[in-house]
């Protein structure tokens, strides 16, 4: 992230949930590293697992996992202000939607899945 900062970047989006259906164990450390590397704003992204089902639980698991690692949702106040030692925050969680191989052949099923995540 230091290299990104030195090349003019100030915003990072790191993976916090894997397409295999579990939280990304590297997510909390990546969020801390992004802040420590000089990023001005840090978000996370979820790569959902359609075949795992229960989209709301995937979102809830991600939020809980981050909170258990002292990483809190900050919303629009996603800046370096007011962060205590050992804590971090994220501005939002993005949903990473990729290739057809990860999804149902039914567009309506896919839309329902995403809607249940949010």
């Amino acid at each position: 992230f230091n290299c990104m900062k030195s090349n003019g970047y100030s915003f990072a989006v790191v993976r916090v949930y894997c397409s295999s259906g579990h939280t990304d164990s590297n997510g909390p450390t990546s969020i801390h590293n992004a802040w420590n590397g000089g990023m001005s704003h840090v978000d996370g992204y979820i790569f959902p697992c359609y075949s795992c089902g229960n989209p709301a639980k995937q979102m809830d698991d991600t939020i809980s996992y981050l909170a258990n690692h002292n990483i809190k949702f900050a919303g629009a106040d996603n800046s370096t202000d007011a962060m205590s030692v050992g804590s971090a925050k994220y501005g939002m969680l993005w949903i990473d939607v990729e290739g057809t191989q990860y999804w149902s052949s039914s567009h309506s099923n896919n839309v329902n899945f995403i809607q249940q995540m949010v």
Side-chain angles (χ1 to χ4, degrees), residues 51-73:
S51 64
C52 298
N54 204 341
K57 186 176 183 319
Q58 292 181 43
M59 181 65 74
D60 291 343
D61 286 351
T62 302
I63 293 167
S64 294
Y65 184 75
L66 293 173
N68 289 338
H69 286 82
N70 208 20
I71 298 174
K72 309 292 186 212
F73 172 69

Side-chain angles (χ1 to χ4, degrees), residues 1-2 5 9-10 33-41 80:
F1 293 101
N2 290 323
K5 178 68 174 175
Y9 297 97
S10 61
N33 288 344
W35 283 117
N36 293 336
M39 296 291 101
S40 299
H41 299 279
T80 56

Side-chain angles (χ1 to χ4, degrees), residues 61-102:
D61 286 351
T62 302
I63 293 167
S64 294
Y65 184 75
L66 293 173
N68 289 338
H69 286 82
N70 208 20
I71 298 174
K72 309 292 186 212
F73 172 69
D77 184 31
N78 181 18
S79 66
T80 56
D81 299 335
M83 285 195 314
S84 60
V85 174
S87 70
K89 55 189 175 177
Y90 60 94
M92 69 174 65
L93 294 175
W94 298 79
I95 299 173
D96 181 6
V97 178
E98 294 187 23
T100 57
Q101 70 272 27
Y102 300 108

